[in-house]
Amino acid sequence: MQMTSLNEHQLEAVNIIDGAVAVIAGAGSGKTRTLTYRIANMIEHHVDPRSILAVTFTNKAAKEMKERVVDLVGPQGLAPVISTFHSFCARFLRDEIDYLGEPYTRHYLIMDEDDAKQVIRDTVKDLNLDPNRYSSNRLKDYFSKVKNGQYDQLDFEDETVFVKYNEYLKQNNAVDFDDLLIFTLQLLNNNEALLNYYQEQYKYILID
């Protein structure tokens, strides 16, 4: 595999097969390319490609990384799991969400942003609240921050909508994008056997 397009520091990161590596650089400096070459180099050094997990933020980046790895090492490049955070968590929950208990099942629905905002609008209407004050855009952003621990407390009306919104999701075996991340983290934190299984499965984890 030719790596002449990499600079000295990128090459140093790519050639580290085992152990933690942090690449700190500005936007557009080649971090994703470095990560892609590192995956390819691992495979060339006989790392089982099925033990490699790479996660990134956008579908576009994940697609480009997959294509680059295949270009570099051929069909073996199809074996690593390369996906967005949300896609990986959705895949994880399809297999493991039963551990959360009822009402969730592996046939759960994923609510996109538009669906979630519509549920919020319907909830605001059912509670006879002012839709201008309790806009779905504001509340969805606010609820996302609450779920991710950025806010500890809501005012009474916001909390009422929040509770009703989450009740709707549970009753319909549905999750929103935040739940994908939070439920995955919750299961891995609270189930040691599950955590051990995935640690054994993915010995090499790369984050773009």
Side-chain angles (χ1 to χ4, degrees):
M1 179 176 63
Q2 294 292 324
M3 294 190 283
T4 54
S5 64
L6 302 177
N7 64 36
E8 177 185 353
H9 298 296
Q10 291 170 336
L11 194 59
E12 181 182 3
V14 166
N15 282 325
I16 298 174
I17 304 300
D18 295 300
V21 177
V23 177
I24 302 171
S29 58
K31 294 187 297 295
T32 301
R33 181 177 60 191
T34 301
L35 185 150
T36 303
Y37 270 90
R38 189 173 184 224
I39 294 171
N41 198 38
M42 286 175 174
I43 295 172
E44 287 212 334
H45 281 78
H46 309 296
V47 168
D48 184 348
R50 295 169 298 179
S51 70
I52 299 171
L53 166 64
V55 286
T56 185
F57 284 96
T58 68
N59 289 319
K60 180 182 178 182
K63 181 175 182 292
E64 289 177 354
M65 286 170 61
K66 290 177 185 177
E67 292 172 349
R68 288 180 188 175
V69 172
V70 171
D71 287 343
L72 290 169
V73 298
Q76 285 191 95
L78 295 170
V81 174
I82 301 174
S83 73
T84 64
F85 287 92
H86 289 94
S87 293
F88 173 76
C89 290
R91 173 177 171 173
F92 172 88
L93 291 174
R94 289 293 176 203
D95 292 330
E96 314 298 353
I97 200 169
D98 288 344
Y99 284 105
L100 282 178
E102 294 183 355
Y104 293 107
T105 74
R106 63 186 58 195
H107 303 295
Y108 70 87
L109 304 174
I110 299 175
M111 304 276 286
D112 65 21
E113 290 296 295
D114 290 337
D115 292 334
K117 288 176 183 178
Q118 185 59 55
V119 173
I120 291 172
R121 283 193 290 270
D122 292 342
T123 303
V124 167
K125 182 178 180 181
D126 291 343
L127 293 170
N128 293 315
L129 298 173
D130 182 355
N132 293 316
R133 180 180 177 188
Y134 297 95
S135 74
S136 60
N137 287 334
R138 179 185 72 81
L139 288 175
K140 182 63 184 70
D141 180 64
Y142 192 28
F143 293 170
S144 179
K145 290 176 179 176
V146 171
K147 287 190 175 188
N148 285 282
Q150 293 175 262
Y151 291 110
D152 295 327
Q153 191 171 1
L154 297 86
D155 66 36
F156 178 76
E157 286 83 4
D158 285 353
E159 183 174 7
T160 301
V161 179
F162 182 69
V163 169
K164 293 288 186 183
Y165 168 73
N166 285 303
E167 285 178 352
Y168 177 91
L169 295 183
K170 288 182 179 179
Q171 289 168 1
N172 289 275
N173 191 31
V175 301
D176 61 21
F177 288 158
D178 294 300
D179 292 332
L180 291 174
L181 305 178
I182 292 165
F183 288 167
T184 297
L185 182 61
Q186 179 181 329
L187 286 173
L188 291 174
N189 279 338
N190 296 335
N191 190 316
E192 186 174 357
L194 200 59
L195 175 62
N196 290 338
Y197 173 82
Y198 280 92
Q199 285 178 327
E200 186 66 24
Q201 172 73 31
Y202 299 114
K203 296 182 181 296
Y204 299 87
I205 299 176
L206 301 94
I207 301 172
D208 183 24

